[in-house]
Amino acid sequence: MNTERKLAETLDLLFRYMILEEHKGKWGMDIDHWDWVPGVGVISLMEYATASGREEVLDYLLQWVNRNKRKAEGAKVINSLAPFALFPELYRRTEDPWFLQKAMSAADWMLKAAPVTREGALEHTVTENVDFPEQVWADTVYMAVLFLARLGGLTGESRLADAAVRQTLLHLQLLQDPESGLLYHGWNSRAGHHMSAVHWARANAWITLAVPQIVAELREVVAIPEELYSRYRSLAAGLRSCQAGNGLWHTVLNRTDFVQETSGSAGIACGFIKGVEQGLLDASYLDGARRTVQGILPLIAENGEVQGVSGGTPVMPTADAYNTIEVYPTLYGQGLVMQLFTHAPDLLSGTRSAWEV
């Protein structure tokens, strides 16, 4: 079987596994919640539906929103904004004003009421009963800023676009190590340091994947500072320097004795592809992405389960603690691999013919 056909069949398996009823009640795989875990899952399904033209997947997303929209009225936190990233595209496709109204309401909360640090960066807030006062996490750029950028791209409103660009650059400024280009997981504004100062793979993946999409949405709406581009190139160069020979990355990027982690690896590689597409990176980065595709394919079980995905991970107290995080299937693991494989047919051969499953 050729690789493109294999990818198309694997993508269908990933989709089928994500929507199984048997996942109910499992934190990592229960899709019927309004939080970041299912949020990344449905964002990824939209990416797949848009690229493949599969109406079945789009219909599922519309049903998902209808089933879960009441849950969106709950606590307003950064992580619960993730599913709203669907709404600009759903509005374009359906012209249902409800999608635009709800998206604007969420954006208004984000701009006017969401807590920020003394630097003005969004404080990372979560649905669980725990606070991280004045902490900046890389995760925020994907869970919230990507949504804001998509809405700004849809509406052309400069206040949304300016805020998305400002938050993206702030996160890069606060989290980037100037020597390696890699990102730290978090920054504590009160204490003035990066806490355990760990270069966690999935943290780097969230921003590597989000920035090209943010730029694509907003470069025609507002000016993108050159600093944002240069910091992104530095990040990508740092990531390329620590990619393992099999195409994956270790869960702590500079610790080759630690386990390799599938979701972070997929997110970084997909970010490379999107970075090249948007002119942020040169085409040589596609070689690393190809190796990641080949490295992840054997990690997909026959039932479509993505293996080697680490569980939810706050900023841990030490680097060693990141190597102890439990590994189990999650919607963000399924989703980040889905996003990578969605772009892999173009990466490998420049054709979409393999989408016909």
Side-chain angles (χ1 to χ4, degrees):
M1 181 185 298
N2 66 44
T3 303
E4 295 135 292
R5 182 71 181 180
K6 173 67 172 175
L7 285 169
E9 294 186 356
T10 301
L11 278 162
D12 186 62
L13 282 174
L14 294 173
F15 168 54
R16 302 293 172 196
Y17 188 75
M18 290 169 78
I19 64 174
L20 288 175
E21 288 291 323
E22 67 190 53
H23 295 317
K24 295 292 184 185
K26 299 177 182 177
W27 179 86
M29 286 301 303
D30 189 342
I31 202 166
D32 283 319
H33 289 289
W34 199 275
D35 201 357
W36 74 275
V37 176
V40 176
V42 295
I43 289 169
S44 305
L45 288 172
M46 177 61 81
E47 186 100 355
Y48 174 41
T50 300
S52 66
R54 292 192 63 187
E55 290 298 322
E56 177 188 5
V57 182
L58 179 62
D59 289 345
Y60 177 83
L61 290 170
L62 290 168
Q63 294 164 16
W64 181 88
V65 172
N66 190 55
R67 287 199 312 272
N68 293 289
K69 60 185 179 183
R70 288 187 182 86
K71 300 170 186 175
E73 306 301 327
K76 293 290 194 300
V77 295
I78 289 300
N79 272 352
S80 69
L81 293 176
F84 286 107
L86 292 181
F87 282 32
E89 182 61 24
L90 290 177
Y91 175 72
R92 288 188 184 96
R93 288 172 176 266
T94 66
E95 299 184 347
D96 183 344
W98 181 85
F99 288 110
L100 182 58
Q101 292 163 5
K102 287 297 181 182
M104 291 300 294
S105 176
D108 285 340
W109 173 84
M110 185 176 168
L111 295 181
K112 298 175 181 177
V116 296
T117 69
R118 61 198 64 196
E119 302 94 350
L122 288 162
E123 180 181 301
H124 191 74
T125 50
V126 300
T127 52
E128 293 85 359
N129 187 27
V130 60
D131 294 322
F132 305 101
E134 282 212 81
Q135 288 189 20
V136 180
W137 291 16
D139 315 47
T140 295
V141 176
Y142 195 88
M143 304 311 162
V145 181
L146 177 60
F147 152 63
L148 193 65
R150 288 181 173 180
L151 187 59
L154 172 70
T155 65
E157 287 197 28
S158 59
R159 70 183 183 103
L160 303 176
D162 285 337
V165 172
R166 183 173 66 254
Q167 287 296 329
T168 303
L169 185 55
L170 259 176
H171 278 73
L172 284 166
Q173 291 169 339
L174 292 171
L175 296 173
Q176 192 160 37
D177 172 18
E179 292 187 8
S180 68
L182 301 175
L183 304 177
Y184 296 104
H185 188 177
W187 165 258
N188 188 315
S189 297
R190 286 184 182 176
H193 59 63
H194 292 104
M195 297 174 277
S196 54
V198 171
H199 300 307
W200 180 47
R202 200 159 61 231
N204 282 258
W206 293 133
I207 291 184
T208 305
L209 183 56
V211 167
Q213 298 178 72
I214 291 168
V215 168
E217 291 286 353
L218 299 180
R219 66 185 355 153
E220 301 300 324
V221 182
V222 294
I224 309 292
E226 175 56 35
E227 183 185 354
L228 191 153
Y229 293 128
S230 64
R231 284 185 176 276
Y232 186 78
R233 289 192 292 268
S234 177
L235 167 60
L239 288 167
R240 180 160 65 176
S241 72
C242 56
Q243 186 178 19
N246 66 351
L248 275 66
W249 280 265
H250 296 270
T251 194
V252 174
L253 294 167
N254 54 342
R255 291 292 301 270
T256 57
D257 55 326
F258 282 14
V259 298
Q260 294 180 334
E261 204 279 324
T262 308
S263 69
S265 298
I268 292 167
C270 191
F272 282 0
I273 297 171
K274 289 179 177 290
V276 172
E277 286 176 349
Q278 296 304 319
L280 279 67
L281 303 175
D282 66 68
S284 66
Y285 281 88
L286 298 179
D287 292 335
R290 288 187 188 96
R291 285 193 287 127
T292 309
V293 172
Q294 297 293 349
I296 288 178
L297 269 171
L299 301 177
I300 314 299
E302 290 184 2
N303 64 353
E305 177 185 301
V306 176
Q307 301 173 335
V309 176
S310 61
T313 308
V315 178
M316 301 297 284
T318 65
D320 286 341
Y322 283 84
N323 203 37
T324 67
I325 298 296
E326 187 179 357
V327 172
Y328 50 83
T330 69
L331 287 162
Y332 55 82
Q334 300 289 128
L336 290 172
V337 170
M338 174 174 278
Q339 290 190 49
L340 174 61
F341 285 7
T342 290
H343 290 274
D346 281 345
L347 173 69
L348 297 173
S349 70
T351 178
R352 285 289 188 203
S353 60
W355 289 125
E356 298 302 321
V357 184

